[in-house]
Amino acid sequence: MINVGVLGFGTVGSGVVEVIETNGKKIGKRIGEPLNVKYILDYKDFKGTPVENKIVHEFKTILEDPEIQIVVEVLGGIEPAYTYVKKSLLAGKSVVTSNKALVAAHGAELLSIAKDNNINFLFEASVGGGIPIIRALNTSLTADEIEEIDGILNGTTNYMLTKMEEDNAEYEDVLKEAQEKGYAERNPEADVMGYDACRKIAILSSLISGHQVDFEDIYCEGITEITKTDIDYAKKLGYKIKLVAVSKRHFGNHLHAIVAPFMVGKENPIFHVDGVMNAVVVRGNMLGDAMFYGAGAGKLPTASAVVGDIVDEAKNLHNNVMPMWKEETLILDDYASMRRKFFVRVKGTWEAMSKDLKDYFGKDIEPVFLDGRDDEFGFITPIIMEGDYETRSKVFKDVILNRIRVEFYD
Ligand code: HSE
């Protein structure tokens, strides 16, 4: 029997227990022996529920029980998760986590401890919820050099942008609705500011580069400045606005990474990813493009990925299977040197401003107008560097209403 201790009986923790209860027989067959949740660490007692007898309040109980071979950390946040995970690994217990904050901050160190102890630290559920992207990168795609990963890695913002587009609604109204439906937190900052997607693309960037990529180094812009009018322009141009996370390799191990709203067109597979769904497009130098699509959050999809990792660890109790990344931080290429096209919205009339705009952004720029609006217009720049855009746009800072990158992930 494989005995597991689950740290935290919140949404994901209860999902893990449910997945094991529902599919336990099949899972046991796949492992070759039964899988048993022996303990659940939580500060609540859950009296009168089926898990009542498994609840413990002291982490020590799990740490010091030699029967526990696998610890499942689904507490979230850095502490006490980091301390518990590190202690578990040092005690020779494999660990599964769904905690992206922990992996993004301490992944390299925890992977290294697991390797030294010939056990495993797995975290499939930390990126893309139920989508098997990390295992795919580590197993199926090992023949390739991964050149680029683009993804919609946050379900909350994808839901909000989809709603704004479909219902012709403003950001604030859609946020309120997402909060009412439980898709957005009461404090929505991590999602709407792009931080959640940023941690996830940092983890994927660390995996493909083999070095620690700090999420603080990734240029990150959320969706808070996107308005209904921006979406109207996007529609007119045949685009959708999506919060895209990109990690792109340049010349060897140089990476460009960004999280920001982009206008994407129909030919881009992520154009079709709507609502709370996530998608990750991986470009390999042999494979070409492959897209992984599915539920990026939610109790059972996330728990499914966690239990998949438990199965992997149970089958590899004393065999380290996870590639490591080095603790030395990879210096990302300067964001100002990334090349882009920008959609720019300008207050005023094209007649009055076209000459000046053409002087700065090129003679080929064309205006885009919204029906019934004669007080503003938009245009798309040619491909220019982010830094150049910043410099040139300063001249027009009093009349530029917004600017959104247009798909060209350099
Ligand atoms: N808030 C996250 C999302 C949950 O919306 O995708 C999963 O990390």
Side-chain angles (χ1 to χ4, degrees):
M1 171 153 350
I2 300 289
N3 283 297
V4 173
V6 178
L7 313 183
F9 199 60
T11 306
V12 183
S14 58
V16 167
V17 172
E18 190 175 331
V19 169
I20 295 173
E21 261 170 21
T22 311
N23 292 342
K25 278 211 176 95
K26 280 231 161 85
I27 292 168
K29 272 196 190 136
R30 285 175 188 144
I31 296 173
E33 51 189 311
L35 180 63
N36 176 45
V37 175
K38 186 169 178 184
Y39 302 117
I40 297 167
L41 177 75
D42 206 284
Y43 67 91
K44 291 190 203 146
D45 289 323
F46 294 97
K47 281 247 166 348
T49 73
V51 296
E52 180 180 355
N53 296 333
K54 298 178 190 286
I55 296 287
V56 294
H57 300 303
E58 297 281 340
F59 170 63
K60 232 167 75 151
T61 314
I62 295 174
L63 184 69
E64 292 178 357
D65 184 338
E67 282 190 1
I68 295 289
Q69 292 149 304
I70 298 171
V71 172
V72 178
E73 185 279 304
V74 285
L75 295 161
I78 300 288
E79 284 295 356
Y82 171 61
T83 304
Y84 291 171
V85 168
K86 193 168 172 178
K87 283 190 175 169
S88 301
L89 292 169
L90 288 168
K93 300 176 195 298
S94 284
V95 174
V96 175
T97 183
S98 59
N99 184 339
K100 61 196 158 276
L102 176 71
V103 179
H106 298 288
E109 182 198 4
L110 298 170
L111 282 166
S112 154
I113 299 173
K115 191 170 179 62
D116 290 347
N117 287 279
N118 212 20
I119 50 174
N120 287 290
F121 173 60
L122 300 182
F123 42 86
E124 181 64 68
S126 67
V127 179
I131 303 175
I133 178 62
I134 292 178
R135 187 161 288 103
L137 286 172
N138 288 338
T139 56
S140 318
L141 303 179
T142 46
D144 275 62
E145 176 86 291
I146 304 301
E147 294 176 335
E148 183 171 341
I149 297 182
D150 315 323
I152 294 180
L153 297 178
N154 184 267
T156 305
T157 46
N158 203 39
Y159 171 83
M160 289 174 64
L161 290 170
T162 305
K163 272 305 224 188
M164 285 175 78
E165 192 208 323
E166 286 176 353
D167 298 355
N168 207 21
E170 280 295 1
Y171 171 86
E172 291 301 339
D173 299 328
V174 165
L175 173 61
K176 206 161 152 258
E177 192 203 317
Q179 284 169 319
E180 278 161 12
K181 286 197 165 155
Y183 293 146
E185 309 272 342
R186 199 172 310 155
N187 176 359
E189 195 180 83
D191 292 317
V192 299
M193 300 295 283
Y195 306 148
D196 174 81
C198 195
R199 287 193 166 90
K200 293 169 179 168
I201 198 72
I203 294 172
L204 296 179
S205 300
S206 298
L207 276 168
I208 65 167
S209 68
H211 280 265
Q212 173 71 22
V213 172
D214 288 335
F215 68 89
E216 297 94 336
D217 294 345
I218 296 176
Y219 177 87
C220 179
E221 210 177 283
I223 65 161
T224 51
E225 303 298 317
I226 303 294
T227 64
K228 192 159 82 70
T229 311
D230 297 323
I231 300 216
D232 289 340
Y233 277 105
K235 277 188 194 164
K236 176 121 197 190
L237 289 160
Y239 291 125
K240 283 184 184 174
I241 300 177
K242 297 286 184 192
L243 184 69
V244 186
V246 183
S247 182
K248 186 163 179 174
R249 192 186 295 278
H250 281 258
F251 318 114
N253 214 10
H254 288 258
L255 286 192
H256 268 167
I258 183 169
V259 172
F262 278 80
M263 287 189 176
V264 296
K266 283 193 179 64
E267 328 65 49
N268 189 327
I270 63 179
F271 176 94
H272 307 279
V273 178
D274 286 330
V276 291
M277 301 309 272
N278 281 198
V280 189
V281 180
V282 177
R283 178 166 302 153
N285 65 343
M286 299 291 126
L287 167 79
D289 287 355
M291 180 162 96
F292 300 80
Y293 169 87
K299 175 175 162 172
L300 291 178
T302 308
S304 159
V306 170
V307 177
D309 277 350
I310 298 176
V311 172
D312 214 0
E313 292 190 348
K315 288 166 79 173
N316 290 284
L317 277 180
H318 302 289
N319 175 33
N320 180 264
V321 295
M322 182 74 188
M324 294 180 37
W325 64 76
K326 297 190 182 121
E327 284 190 53
E328 298 91 67
T329 304
L330 184 75
I331 307 294
L332 295 174
D333 282 2
D334 182 9
Y335 131 90
S337 68
M338 295 185 212
R339 295 183 314 139
R340 306 262 178 243
K341 287 197 273 185
F342 293 85
F343 166 77
V344 189
R345 259 178 70 204
V346 183
K347 192 165 67 178
T349 65
W350 172 249
E351 288 70 30
M353 306 194 61
S354 58
K355 188 182 171 307
D356 287 346
L357 288 169
K358 283 183 178 200
D359 283 348
Y360 279 85
F361 292 104
K363 62 179 175 30
D364 294 330
I365 59 168
E366 300 272 358
V368 189
F369 302 104
L370 285 182
D371 295 342
R373 296 288 301 256
D374 54 12
D375 55 338
E376 65 165 86
F377 61 92
F379 70 92
I380 294 178
T381 68
I383 294 169
I384 56 174
M385 288 200 290
E386 292 264 3
D388 280 348
Y389 174 79
E390 270 179 20
T391 312
R392 293 181 208 185
S393 63
K394 270 192 193 130
V395 179
F396 301 96
K397 69 177 185 344
D398 295 333
V399 291
I400 290 183
L401 297 164
N402 204 355
R403 57 99 184 90
I404 298 166
R405 294 165 178 85
V406 181
E407 58 177 352
F408 179 74
Y409 312 140
D410 185 33

